[in-house]
Amino acid sequence: EREEVAEGVVLALVARQHVLLLGPPGTAKSALIEFAARQVSGASYFRWLLTKFTTPEELFGPVSLEALQCDSYRRRTDGKLPEAHVAFVDEVFKASSAVLNALLSIMNERVFFNDGEPVRVPLVSLFAASNELPGVDEEAALRALADRFLLRYVVGYLKSPRNKICLLLQEEPEPQPVLSLTDLNRLHEAAGRVAFGKDAAEALVAVVEAVRREGVEVSDRRMKQCAVLLKAKALLEGGDEVLPGRDFAVLQHALWTSPEQRDAVAKAVAKVASPDEAELDELAHAVREVLDAWATGGDTRKKVSAVRRLSAAAERGRKIAAKHAEGTSIRSRAERLVAEIEEHKKLLMEDVLAHL
């Protein structure tokens, strides 16, 4: 139940973007990030839990006493965030303003100001966790920090009993390096060479406009970052160009600003990325409405009309299935929906005939 989050972690590392994980404690958020970081040989990893009392020294290093003697307020950053390639900051929105300002410059420009001097940092990706996003009444700096996380995932407790049993019985895996920091840099460069053509650009604009119509604010900066993300996604799919039908699904984790918007964003993305999937969703919803109306009664004419609507839905489902190859997930889903519709249509016909 962590497949999408795991994919997001890899995409963020390749695209050099940042990820926010929302959810309660005990959902393996930090374990997942640390496991990924330890699979990149040569990458330094920094992890810290923030509280409202966390001082800049804890994240960015203590002030050098030797430098103070020379009237310089320079920090010793050894082993701290400014020298990390991958970082995980828990309870990120509890940061003080002094910590927030430094975090923003590190995340945005990959720069840390040490005694006023801009120092380039090697940060690839910063991952963060929180129980919730800052509210509209929170200070602007917190909202600005939240906006810097391109990918956002809600991570809950395991739901499947089978997965819970696996969690209890399996041994803790030991991460082994699967690529080097040099490999990761080469992947990033290769993603930059992936083609992002006019069709992909028009599709991304269409998605963003659809999401904005749902009341979700999407900045031009975030839209531009999404293009970088999509190129990384295409690369990991083995492609040399961005294809909306194959690559756009990840946008559902990049375009919402509050968890309540996730469903609306997912639907908007699906309509562009996979119109057939979106139409199957609409057909399934229409079938539920027909069945709900049938269950609440109604005269025979309305039931006959319901049979016709079910027949039309089944026919549309067959056409969608015919467009896709045997064994594909969308064809299987369409065939299951058609079979379900036919079963309900049979029962509804029997009900109609019984009242003639």
Side-chain angles (χ1 to χ4, degrees):
E1 297 176 34
R2 297 288 184 271
E3 292 87 353
E4 290 185 329
V5 183
E7 180 191 52
V9 170
V10 177
L11 285 172
L13 290 171
V14 173
R16 293 186 178 177
Q17 295 295 331
H18 310 299
V19 179
L20 177 63
L21 305 179
L22 295 173
T27 51
K29 297 186 292 293
S30 59
L32 191 151
I33 302 305
E34 185 165 351
F35 191 92
R38 289 172 64 187
Q39 290 184 296
V40 183
S41 63
S44 58
Y45 176 65
F46 177 82
R47 171 183 170 184
W48 206 260
L49 171 64
L50 294 186
T51 72
K52 60 182 179 180
F53 303 110
T54 298
T55 63
E57 285 76 14
E58 295 175 63
L59 269 72
F60 311 121
V63 176
S64 169
L65 296 179
E66 292 180 1
L68 276 178
Q69 292 175 350
C70 301
D71 296 327
S72 174
Y73 197 79
R74 182 169 295 276
R75 295 189 182 277
R76 294 171 52 193
T77 57
D78 314 51
K80 296 296 184 178
L81 180 55
E83 298 195 5
H85 296 100
V86 181
F88 179 77
V89 182
D90 204 355
E91 297 298 339
V92 66
F93 299 121
K94 291 184 179 178
S96 64
S97 58
V99 170
L100 277 174
N101 292 333
L103 276 178
L104 283 171
S105 64
I106 287 176
M107 293 174 70
N108 288 349
E109 294 88 26
R110 303 302 201 275
V111 167
F112 174 65
F113 290 91
N114 202 350
D115 193 28
E117 178 186 350
V119 179
R120 297 292 301 176
V121 300
L123 184 71
V124 175
S125 296
L126 187 141
F127 300 88
S130 177
N131 290 333
E132 58 185 0
L133 285 163
V136 292
D137 55 340
E138 301 280 356
E139 60 179 288
L142 281 177
R143 298 197 301 274
L145 179 65
D147 189 55
R148 295 308 185 268
F149 295 99
L150 178 60
L151 286 166
R152 300 164 178 179
Y153 295 89
V154 175
V155 185
Y157 297 119
L158 293 177
K159 296 179 180 179
S160 163
R162 180 174 61 85
N163 289 338
K164 293 176 183 177
I165 292 171
C166 287
L167 177 68
L168 294 173
L169 297 180
Q170 73 177 7
E171 296 182 4
E172 287 294 321
E174 184 62 32
Q176 300 295 329
V178 294
L179 75 167
S180 67
L181 192 59
T182 300
D183 295 329
L184 194 58
N185 291 334
R186 287 174 178 165
L187 282 170
H188 177 69
E189 292 170 0
R193 294 191 293 270
V194 170
F196 188 81
K198 186 179 179 182
D199 288 347
E202 290 176 346
L204 178 54
V205 169
V207 167
V208 170
E209 292 302 318
V211 167
R212 285 173 175 166
R213 286 194 294 272
E214 294 292 336
V216 182
E217 187 175 311
V218 181
S219 67
D220 290 344
R221 179 187 60 223
R222 180 168 288 270
M223 181 172 63
K224 184 71 174 177
Q225 290 174 331
C226 283
V228 176
L229 177 70
L230 290 170
K231 293 170 79 170
K233 171 66 172 173
L235 177 73
L236 296 184
E237 291 290 343
D240 55 7
E241 66 175 322
V242 174
L243 301 177
R246 182 192 62 200
D247 304 320
F248 269 42
V250 70
L251 293 177
Q252 65 184 295
H253 305 295
L255 295 177
W256 56 267
T257 54
S258 68
E260 296 76 21
Q261 299 167 340
R262 288 185 300 157
D263 288 344
V265 168
K267 288 178 181 178
V269 171
K271 284 182 179 179
V272 174
S274 181
D276 287 340
E277 287 267 18
E279 186 168 359
L280 285 176
D281 287 337
E282 292 176 0
L283 284 175
H285 179 71
V287 168
R288 285 195 298 272
E289 287 185 337
V290 169
L291 296 177
D292 288 343
W294 173 32
T296 56
D299 59 32
T300 302
R301 283 184 304 172
K302 289 183 178 180
K303 290 181 178 179
V304 170
S305 175
V307 171
R308 290 176 180 155
R309 290 173 62 190
L310 288 178
S311 296
E315 182 59 25
R316 185 57 199 150
R318 290 189 190 94
K319 289 181 179 178
I320 293 174
K323 290 165 60 177
H324 297 271
E326 287 279 358
T328 57
S329 60
I330 189 167
R331 175 159 182 162
S332 298
R333 183 186 173 195
E335 289 173 343
R336 287 196 302 272
L337 180 60
V338 169
E340 180 184 341
I341 292 172
E342 291 294 346
E343 182 63 27
H344 288 304
K345 190 174 74 169
K346 179 182 176 183
L347 294 173
L348 188 50
M349 281 293 297
E350 291 175 351
D351 186 27
V352 170
L353 292 173
H355 290 84
L356 288 178

